[in-house]
Amino acid sequence: MAPSFTSPSPPDNSKAALKQLSSYNSHLLRRVSSHKLLSISSTLLFRTAILLTMTLVLLFTLHYPSLLSHSLSLSSPHPTNPHRSLLSSNRLQSLNPLEIRRSATPTRTNGLSILVTGAAGFVGTHCSLALKARGDGVLGLDNFNSYYDPSLKRARQKLLHKNGVVIVEADINDSQLLIKLFQLVHFTHVLHLAAQAGVRYAMKSPQSYIQSNVAGFVSLLEVAAKNADPQPAIVWASSSSVYGLNKVSPFSESHRTDQPASLYAATKKAGEEIAHVYNHIYGLSLTGLRFFTVYGPWGRPDMAYFSFVHDIIEGKPINIFSNAKRDFTYIDDVVKGCIGALDSAKPSTGLPGGSKKTGPAELRVYNLGNTSPVPVTKMVSIIESLLGKKAKKNVVEMPSNGDVPFTHANVSLAKRDFGYHPSTDLGTGLKQFVKWYVDYYKLEVISKKKEKAQEKVASS
């Protein structure tokens, strides 16, 4: 029989185990309590942060209500910029509805109600004055940029104000402000003249041309198509520059315009294509006007005739392009063309909201020129005669910076459709400009003939 072994009884460790278990439970309870306290604290901190954030958002929204809506707007063509949005908010709040409606209300029977963009510009000022004088309602819009001396634009603004035309200071890309203006006034027409001008400046600041001439035009068309009730008929400024490298003369609306010689010309050509799109989709009535070297009183200082007068008076040398010819068009003739285009424009056919149109809408383009190209050298000779002073001339070759050697307008279409007929020759127009220039800048310009006559009187 196998021996029998009896296992020894295990030691009684129950008290020790109970003691360890009690110690573990106590430690566990302390950890659980600590975690609960931490969790509760975190929850409180999180809720406090949320509450503070919501409070700040509420306060921010109350103080700047348009900023949030502007940043969420799908109609804005540019990324959200807080500074731009705050500026837009301030301008919206500063609008005077009564003043705006008064300016935009016609005083004659069946008068037009017109929004003129670029109203403090050269052509914009003259057109606004002429329209207001015949009893149309005119509201101006201008951003008073510093491409050239803003004080000249402010002087034009004062002139317009004296004649009952209000200018809203804002950028054409501010879609929220445009929407507000179209809500305040049921414009029958828009004369869109706001643009970044100049051929050579495009090499220094190309983005400004895209911003103004392309994005700004789209901004206006978007609001006119989708927010205006009714949609206005739009007349806008294109340019003779769209003819670019075209060598067939005189330039006709049927000629090629797909060879621009400058970025400025390209943006104006892009505008004509964009106009086609908004006409086709939304039924906007659109008329493009190709201006040919407009000159006259209150003109732009960056134009050659303006700087020539200044430099000749100052005794500074001037650079003349030897082979350059321009179809110089006097401002009064251009104003008549703009008004003719406005008066003959047919209504838009789109319904409010831009959802559909009732039928095809009018899409036109016209040359507004003088039909008589003049060598720049002859223009300088006329200025010398008017000032009684010889210019210090440097005759140079035209640089390859976007300028074209000549322009020559065929205006038969404008003559046929709204009676456009330029009647001011260069000598007469420059005489009016020099007179304005001397008066505006308070100069004493004495011709040699007058000087000799004065000498004779003094010696007798």
Side-chain angles (χ1 to χ4, degrees):
M1 184 178 220
S4 174
F5 295 94
T6 303
S7 299
S9 299
D12 187 4
N13 294 327
S14 59
K15 290 182 179 181
L18 286 171
K19 187 175 181 180
Q20 286 181 351
L21 182 60
S22 176
S23 175
Y24 176 77
N25 286 340
S26 177
H27 176 69
L28 185 61
L29 285 172
R30 284 197 301 270
R31 288 186 62 185
V32 169
S33 298
S34 176
H35 278 296
K36 282 184 177 180
L37 182 60
L38 183 60
S39 176
I40 291 169
S41 299
S42 299
T43 302
L44 287 172
L45 285 172
F46 178 75
R47 289 178 178 175
T48 301
I50 290 293
L51 182 60
L52 285 172
T53 302
M54 291 177 67
T55 303
L56 288 172
V57 169
L58 179 61
L59 289 172
F60 187 78
T61 305
L62 288 173
H63 280 83
Y64 305 106
S66 65
L67 179 57
L68 187 59
S69 62
H70 184 82
S71 66
L72 296 176
S73 172
L74 295 178
S75 62
S76 176
H78 301 290
T80 302
N81 182 325
H83 299 291
R84 183 189 185 90
S85 301
L86 288 172
L87 190 60
S88 173
S89 172
N90 291 336
R91 284 174 177 162
L92 280 170
Q93 292 173 6
S94 66
L95 292 179
N96 186 329
L98 291 177
E99 189 179 51
I100 285 172
R101 290 193 180 104
R102 188 184 304 116
S103 182
T105 300
T107 57
R108 67 182 177 98
T109 305
N110 298 322
L112 310 180
S113 179
I114 309 165
L115 174 66
V116 179
T117 70
F122 172 34
V123 179
T125 295
H126 283 274
C127 284
S128 297
L129 289 171
L131 290 165
K132 195 69 175 179
R134 72 172 195 168
D136 292 318
V138 180
L139 180 69
L141 179 74
D142 204 292
N143 68 354
F144 295 90
N145 67 36
S146 57
Y147 168 61
Y148 61 81
D149 186 6
S151 67
L152 180 57
K153 300 177 184 179
R154 294 297 180 185
R156 297 183 189 133
Q157 182 185 27
K158 290 179 181 178
L159 178 63
L160 289 170
H161 183 73
K162 288 179 182 177
N163 287 273
V165 178
V166 170
I167 296 183
V168 175
E169 185 171 352
D171 193 277
I172 195 68
N173 284 294
D174 191 340
S175 57
Q176 295 303 309
L177 187 137
L178 283 177
I179 290 171
K180 182 64 176 178
L181 292 181
F182 277 96
Q183 289 173 347
L184 290 172
V185 179
H186 298 302
F187 295 106
T188 60
H189 294 72
V190 173
L191 181 57
H192 178 50
L193 303 173
Q196 176 58 61
V199 170
R200 289 178 289 278
Y201 184 64
M203 298 180 71
K204 296 180 180 179
S205 181
Q207 289 300 326
S208 64
Y209 288 78
I210 305 301
Q211 178 81 1
S212 181
N213 302 357
V214 179
F217 192 30
V218 171
S219 175
L220 173 67
L221 296 180
E222 276 285 301
V223 174
K226 299 176 181 178
N227 298 96
D229 184 11
Q231 289 180 344
I234 299 174
V235 175
W236 68 284
S238 184
S239 170
S240 62
S241 294
V242 300
Y243 290 108
L245 302 179
N246 171 55
K247 298 188 183 304
V248 182
S249 180
F251 299 165
S252 171
E253 293 87 346
S254 62
H255 290 168
R256 291 181 62 177
T257 54
D258 60 351
Q259 296 177 303
S262 66
L263 179 63
Y264 168 72
T267 60
K268 286 299 185 178
K269 174 59 179 176
E272 293 187 1
E273 302 302 325
I274 290 167
H276 179 275
V277 171
Y278 277 83
N279 169 267
H280 172 69
I281 296 177
Y282 300 108
L284 283 177
S285 171
L286 285 153
T287 302
L289 302 177
R290 295 171 177 171
F291 296 156
F292 281 71
T293 317
V294 188
Y295 73 101
W298 294 99
R300 285 179 15 222
D302 64 311
M303 297 291 286
Y305 72 94
F306 199 117
S307 62
F308 286 166
V309 169
H310 173 271
D311 290 345
I312 292 172
I313 291 174
E314 294 289 322
K316 298 178 180 178
I318 61 173
N319 291 330
I320 304 174
F321 299 147
S322 58
N323 59 338
K325 288 185 178 182
R326 289 290 181 271
D327 198 343
F328 296 102
T329 314
Y330 190 61
I331 183 61
D332 288 358
D333 292 326
V334 167
V335 169
K336 291 174 184 176
C338 290
I339 292 177
L342 288 166
D343 287 344
S344 62
K346 294 180 180 178
S348 294
T349 62
L351 297 176
S355 57
K356 57 183 178 180
K357 58 184 181 181
T358 59
E362 187 173 59
L363 180 65
R364 310 180 296 172
V365 64
Y366 296 102
N367 290 336
L368 292 187
N370 193 50
T371 74
S372 301
V374 176
V376 174
T377 51
K378 182 178 179 180
M379 179 189 71
V380 173
S381 296
I382 294 172
I383 293 173
E384 288 176 322
S385 175
L386 291 168
L387 294 176
K389 188 174 183 179
K390 282 291 183 182
K392 299 175 181 178
K393 297 185 282 284
N394 294 322
V395 180
V396 298
E397 292 297 320
M398 182 175 290
S400 57
N401 59 4
D403 266 323
V404 293
F406 73 96
T407 58
H408 185 186
N410 178 337
V411 299
S412 57
L413 276 182
K415 182 179 180 181
R416 180 197 71 187
D417 289 357
F418 46 84
Y420 175 71
H421 180 71
S423 59
T424 310
D425 63 85
L426 184 60
T428 301
L430 285 175
K431 183 178 180 180
Q432 293 301 315
F433 171 73
V434 170
K435 181 180 182 302
W436 167 83
Y437 185 95
V438 171
D439 290 343
Y440 180 77
Y441 289 104
K442 297 178 175 58
L443 303 176
E444 292 184 7
V445 180
I446 302 174
S447 68
K448 288 184 178 179
K449 289 181 180 180
K450 288 183 179 179
E451 198 171 41
K452 288 180 180 179
Q454 289 176 356
E455 287 175 357
K456 286 183 180 179
V457 172
S459 61
S460 62

